[in-house]
Amino acid sequence: MLFLIQELRQMSGRWQNYWSSFFNYFDLASFVLPLVCDLMVIVGKEPPHSLKSYAVLCVWINTLLQARAFAGPGKFIAIVIEIGKKIITLFVTLFVFILGFANALFVLLRDIQPLDIVQEYNGNIIDQNTGQITANVSLFQTPQENTNMWERFDYSILATYFFLGIGWDSVTTFNPDPALYAMMVLFSFVAVIILLNILIGLITEVFSGSLLVGRQAWLRQRAELIAELELFMLSPSQRQHPDWFPHLIYYEAHLDTINSWKRKLFMEEMGELDADFVRKELKIVKDELHDELKELKGMVGHIRLSVRNPFDGGNIGHDRSGRSSMVSV
């Protein structure tokens, strides 16, 4: 309940930004689902097993996500999130493709009765004494709700998704049909051979690039956690603690340090550094230094001019004709 109240406080402070964070959804699920189970137990009702199982799963996932404050798991969690952002378009394409094939197969196979596709077993009863066949036996599998998964559209989507890795079990019991085989070949070629290989290549590329920015992404995640704790878990008096929150913070960046940092961008041991980010920051620093140098040069020139001729713009003790003159005040 305490954690849920903290989440409600975060919503009230930044409603739109709250829902844009991937982690907040798991925070809510890991707090709300166990709370619902507890309330059902308090009122004397047994929570459904599905609700309890998902509550436990969300708590474990949220526990793992809280480990992003540490460098080791934090970098890999950031990489997984970055990969998800990069390949979301391909996932949408794959989902639409599966949805289309599910709809097509649903139209093609929905009218087939379950009794026509159940397994049939034929055998003989043999007399052990004489060795003669005394009777013939035929056994049929009892039809169930998922015997023909193509009778329902939602089951059709699930069966089509199984084509990606589990196999073709949902269609192997049907009688040979050229239209069905053609659709299986087309799905295998486009989804399994093309889209999944593109997905593997894209994940490999994003993973290699994410390793370079893993530390920066982890630092951002850690900063978000720290800011969340400072805003919602500390009292006003604690936020005014001078040792925790000093009023002034000084930071010095020397030019030789910046140049040394720039040189390290091209060194192998700095592979985890975000080179693009640092180059942008260095360009900003360089432009600011250039502007400050121009301003200083202008000030020095103005001072020199003032020292040479503080009264009429010429040299002290000389008039415009070049002859010596006396200045009286």
Side-chain angles (χ1 to χ4, degrees):
M1 182 67 73
L2 174 62
F3 286 128
L4 184 59
I5 292 174
Q6 298 296 341
E7 292 297 318
L8 295 176
R9 290 181 60 196
Q10 294 182 44
M11 291 182 194
S12 63
R14 46 189 184 93
W15 178 260
Q16 295 180 350
N17 294 333
Y18 180 86
W19 298 108
S20 62
S21 177
F22 166 79
F23 304 105
N24 289 331
Y25 292 95
F26 283 99
D27 289 341
L28 279 177
S30 62
F31 303 149
V32 172
L33 295 182
L35 185 60
V36 172
C37 293
D38 293 339
L39 293 177
M40 293 182 67
V41 172
I42 291 174
V43 299
K45 294 183 179 180
E46 177 67 20
H49 293 298
S50 58
L51 179 62
K52 292 188 290 185
S53 63
Y54 278 104
V56 171
L57 179 61
C58 290
V59 169
W60 276 104
I61 294 177
N62 189 46
T63 303
L64 177 62
L65 294 179
Q66 296 303 319
R68 68 186 186 273
F70 305 99
K75 289 190 288 186
F76 288 102
I77 291 174
I79 290 173
V80 171
I81 295 174
E82 189 66 22
I83 290 176
K85 292 179 181 178
K86 296 292 184 180
I87 64 178
I88 187 171
T89 304
L90 184 59
F91 274 135
V92 172
T93 303
L94 185 60
F95 175 75
V96 174
F97 184 80
I98 292 175
L99 196 64
F101 268 88
N103 195 0
L105 290 170
F106 169 70
V107 173
L108 180 64
L109 304 174
R110 63 182 174 181
D111 294 330
I112 298 177
Q113 298 299 321
L115 287 175
D116 297 334
I117 59 175
V118 294
Q119 296 290 334
E120 179 181 356
Y121 305 93
N122 298 316
N124 300 318
I125 298 177
I126 301 176
D127 191 345
Q128 295 182 354
N129 297 324
T130 62
Q132 295 180 352
I133 299 175
T134 58
N136 296 325
V137 178
S138 295
L139 300 178
F140 294 89
Q141 182 182 2
T142 303
Q144 299 179 359
E145 186 178 0
N146 61 345
T147 298
N148 184 9
M149 298 187 67
W150 309 99
E151 285 186 320
R152 292 174 49 178
F153 183 64
D154 53 345
Y155 282 3
S156 300
I157 298 174
L158 185 62
T160 308
Y161 173 75
F162 288 161
F163 289 168
L164 295 176
I166 296 178
W168 307 88
D169 295 339
S170 58
V171 294
T172 53
T173 56
F174 289 89
N175 294 324
D177 186 354
L180 176 61
Y181 287 164
M183 201 166 296
M184 291 170 60
V185 171
L186 181 61
F187 182 90
S188 177
F189 177 75
V190 178
V192 179
I193 297 178
I194 296 180
L195 290 180
L196 287 186
N197 281 282
I198 292 175
L199 179 63
I200 293 172
L202 186 60
I203 289 177
T204 303
E205 180 181 356
V206 174
F207 180 78
S208 301
S210 299
L211 285 176
L212 301 177
V213 297
R215 178 174 175 80
Q216 278 70 36
W218 161 66
L219 289 175
R220 285 193 293 268
Q221 292 178 168
R222 188 171 187 177
E224 291 176 358
L225 281 175
I226 293 174
E228 183 176 320
L229 292 173
E230 291 176 350
L231 285 174
F232 301 106
M233 302 298 289
L234 296 182
S235 64
S237 60
Q238 289 175 325
R239 287 195 288 268
Q240 299 297 326
H241 200 291
D243 294 336
W244 296 352
F245 304 96
H247 296 288
L248 296 176
I249 298 177
Y250 295 95
Y251 176 76
E252 293 183 358
H254 299 282
L255 188 59
D256 55 349
T257 305
I258 296 176
N259 291 329
S260 176
W261 194 14
K262 185 177 180 180
R263 287 192 299 268
K264 288 181 179 179
L265 289 176
F266 305 97
M267 297 175 64
E268 184 177 359
E269 62 267 19
M270 298 299 290
E272 294 187 356
L273 194 61
D274 188 353
D276 294 334
F277 170 77
V278 177
R279 288 193 183 98
K280 292 178 183 178
E281 294 297 319
L282 288 175
K283 186 178 183 302
I284 295 174
V285 174
K286 182 179 179 181
D287 294 340
E288 292 178 352
L289 290 175
H290 182 69
D291 295 338
E292 292 181 359
L293 286 175
K294 287 178 62 177
E295 185 178 354
L296 287 174
K297 288 180 180 179
M299 294 174 62
V300 171
H302 182 71
I303 292 173
R304 286 178 178 175
L305 184 62
S306 299
V307 170
R308 289 177 180 176
N309 190 358
F311 298 101
D312 58 357
N315 293 327
I316 298 178
H318 297 276
D319 58 10
R320 295 185 180 181
S321 63
R323 294 174 297 183
S324 176
S325 60
M326 179 79 64
V327 178
S328 60
V329 179

